[in-house]
Amino acid sequence: MLNKQLLIVGAGPAGLAAAIEAKKNGVKDVLLVDLNMKAGGQLMKQIHKFFGSKEHRAGVRGIDTGAAMLKEAEELGVEVWLKSTCVGFFDDKVACIEKGMEDGSKKIIYLKAETIIIATGGQENVVRFKGWTTPGVMGAGAAQTMINVNKVQPGQNIVMLGTGNVGLIVSYQLMQAGCNVVCLVEAAPGIGGYGVHASKISRAGVPIYTKHTIKEVKGNGPNGRVSEVTIVEIDPKFNPIEGTEKTFAADTVTLAAGLKPVSELVKLQDIELVFNGPFGGWVPTHNEKMETTCPGIYVAGDTTGVEEANTALEEGKVAGVSAAEALGAISAAEADKQRAEIWARLDGLRMGPFGEKRAIAKKEVMAKFPGVRA
Ligand SMILES: Cc1cc2nc3c(=O)[nH]c(=O)nc-3n(C[C@H](O)[C@H](O)[C@H](O)COP(=O)(O)OP(=O)(O)OC[C@H]3O[C@@H](n4cnc5c(N)ncnc54)[C@H](O)[C@@H]3O)c2cc1C
């Protein structure tokens, strides 16, 4: 049986930041596990430059931030296991890790951890329409992984459903990768993401159909693949308006209809959850230390409510500091001082038209935990 001081599940920006912060604060034994072949979480496919302030890496590509954080974590002595999935918790906090071997075989490793940080990120929502299981219908994140990580085009002619930032950014990246984006389809009356991203798409002549949805996908392509996509206008109650259908030849449909937290591990551990719409669904209640209702288990990043990379990173730092405090590596006073600085930055990130909603959502989630920061 392996014994670890701190186990962190998920090597996205939240998990990496947590590992770095814990190490910097004197935790000797930090294990970071991720089911992917590369560390960085969503950052490993974000080839575009980030917005925001200099302290939050504005102008730096997500992919470079992920690589720099992994390097820092490894230099600090964080043990990183890739291709390793945390599949469950059992009595007395034993975590079970299944490690992918070079030959494709699997090995189960059981370990004990004094503290655990769950930073398993978010996953895409699915949208159902006639033909939604046809080969060639996929999440926008999957298409983004194909072009930016695996260097493979998901298809030639693509219809994107959703105009939030993910839909807009991935559409543009698909165009940069040589795919033809046939159109974007959006149920809401307006575009969901930043105007600057939408403008780049419109300038390239790609139509964006707001107040529309996908009615049907036909699969008469090779091996039953998508061949045709029919979209339809919808009324304010989201009912299709007959006679407004438009049909396009396409071989791929990408879905960017929002994200939800990955919460399987928190559910397994019986951590108290609360439903929060703006955060994408069921999220673990936690306090200002990012500690859950299960003492010694912390959460950070999209697992606690879908936001963006910088908030994930800062929450990871809070969790790393709190784990260091719990393990006796730093005093409560020192941990409070560091957390106050990080929370000030988090408050700054949760300002403006998009941020304010998240600030309110965060307050609601944390209000469920007794004794939290007001
Ligand atoms: C398609 C897409 C595009 C995005 N584009 C942007 C953008 O342009 N700008 C921006 O700021 N934000 C963007 N985001 C959001 C941003 O990337 C996330 O908010 C951020 O990455 C969250 O960080 P995280 O560490 O919480 O989770 P993630 O980055 O998702 O990392 C979670 C990690 O946990 C691992 N994991 C999950 N379960 C297990 C398990 N059981 N065992 C082991 N490992 C596990 C996953 O493999 C993953 O590597 C995007 C998100 C998506 C999905």
Side-chain angles (χ1 to χ4, degrees):
M1 174 79 64
L2 285 169
N3 286 289
K4 300 286 171 188
Q5 276 189 299
L6 172 59
L7 165 69
I8 303 171
V9 187
L16 280 166
I20 291 167
E21 226 51 34
K23 265 285 174 191
K24 279 186 183 165
N25 279 296
V27 178
K28 290 200 175 59
D29 187 16
V30 180
L31 172 63
L32 178 62
V33 300
D34 198 292
L35 57 86
N36 270 322
M37 292 169 79
K38 284 185 183 175
Q42 302 297 336
L43 289 178
M44 71 180 178
K45 57 192 179 213
Q46 289 168 10
I47 56 169
H48 54 281
K49 292 178 182 169
F50 274 40
F51 294 158
S53 63
K54 204 171 170 196
E55 71 174 342
H56 283 117
R57 300 171 174 83
V60 179
R61 296 179 198 282
I63 197 164
D64 295 334
T65 298
M69 290 178 80
L70 176 64
K71 186 166 175 274
E72 189 178 359
E74 286 180 334
E75 282 171 2
L76 285 164
V78 174
E79 191 180 346
V80 183
W81 292 359
L82 298 175
K83 293 191 281 176
S84 302
T85 307
C86 182
V87 291
F89 299 129
F90 302 94
D91 295 337
D92 76 341
K93 286 192 195 153
V94 177
C96 168
I97 311 291
E98 200 170 281
K99 204 170 181 197
M101 303 287 106
E102 288 302 316
D103 63 1
S105 63
K106 290 190 175 150
K107 188 166 142 198
I108 310 254
I109 301 171
Y110 295 94
L111 59 88
K112 274 190 179 184
E114 288 170 55
T115 48
I116 297 171
I117 298 173
I118 301 175
T120 47
Q123 61 187 317
E124 292 176 296
N125 290 325
V126 167
V127 180
R128 270 165 276 187
F129 40 77
K130 197 170 174 197
W132 70 287
T133 59
T134 306
V137 180
M138 65 184 78
Q144 196 184 30
T145 305
M146 288 171 87
I147 47 174
N148 294 348
V149 180
N150 304 317
K151 319 288 182 215
V152 178
Q153 289 179 334
Q156 288 296 311
N157 296 303
I158 300 169
V159 173
M160 174 71 75
L161 182 71
T163 63
N165 282 323
V166 171
L168 296 174
I169 290 171
V170 175
S171 292
Y172 192 65
Q173 291 178 354
L174 285 164
M175 287 152 65
Q176 288 178 310
C179 304
N180 172 37
V181 177
V182 176
C183 64
L184 283 79
V185 184
E186 169 62 59
I191 285 155
Y194 291 123
V196 62
H197 297 314
S199 303
K200 286 201 263 182
I201 291 161
S202 298
R203 275 202 302 271
V206 177
I208 301 179
Y209 295 100
T210 54
K211 291 194 252 171
H212 276 73
T213 191
I214 292 179
K215 182 178 178 185
E216 183 178 1
V217 165
K218 285 209 170 114
N220 298 323
N223 301 316
R225 192 185 167 108
V226 173
S227 55
E228 224 174 79
V229 181
T230 300
I231 68 167
V232 67
E233 198 177 332
I234 49 175
D235 67 19
K237 291 189 172 162
F238 292 93
N239 296 311
I241 305 173
E242 224 175 291
T244 61
E245 292 85 355
K246 293 180 191 65
T247 299
F248 302 98
D251 58 8
T252 306
V253 175
T254 45
L255 308 177
L259 305 168
K260 61 182 172 194
V262 172
S263 52
E264 284 81 359
L265 288 181
V266 282
K267 282 180 190 152
L268 279 173
Q269 194 57 23
D270 264 347
I271 288 165
E272 197 180 296
L273 296 156
V274 58
F275 189 86
N276 190 289
F279 271 165
W282 290 97
V283 293
T285 54
H286 54 272
N287 60 14
E288 74 282 6
K289 296 181 179 184
M290 302 309 293
E291 190 169 24
T292 65
T293 50
C294 201
I297 300 192
Y298 302 80
V299 282
D302 279 1
T303 314
T304 72
V306 173
E307 296 193 72
E308 44 85 41
N310 278 318
T311 42
L313 200 151
E314 295 291 1
E315 283 196 350
K317 287 183 183 177
V318 175
V321 168
S322 300
E325 178 193 2
L327 290 163
I330 51 171
S331 67
E334 175 58 26
D336 281 341
K337 183 174 147 273
Q338 291 192 32
R339 276 192 296 259
E341 286 165 13
I342 305 168
W343 273 106
R345 290 199 296 272
L346 273 165
D347 289 342
L349 286 168
R350 291 180 180 133
M351 280 160 69
F354 284 98
E356 267 168 21
K357 279 188 204 149
R358 301 198 308 255
I360 294 166
K362 192 58 140 183
K363 268 193 181 161
E364 282 171 8
V365 171
M366 290 176 63
K368 301 281 174 196
F369 201 102
V372 298
R373 180 176 178 268

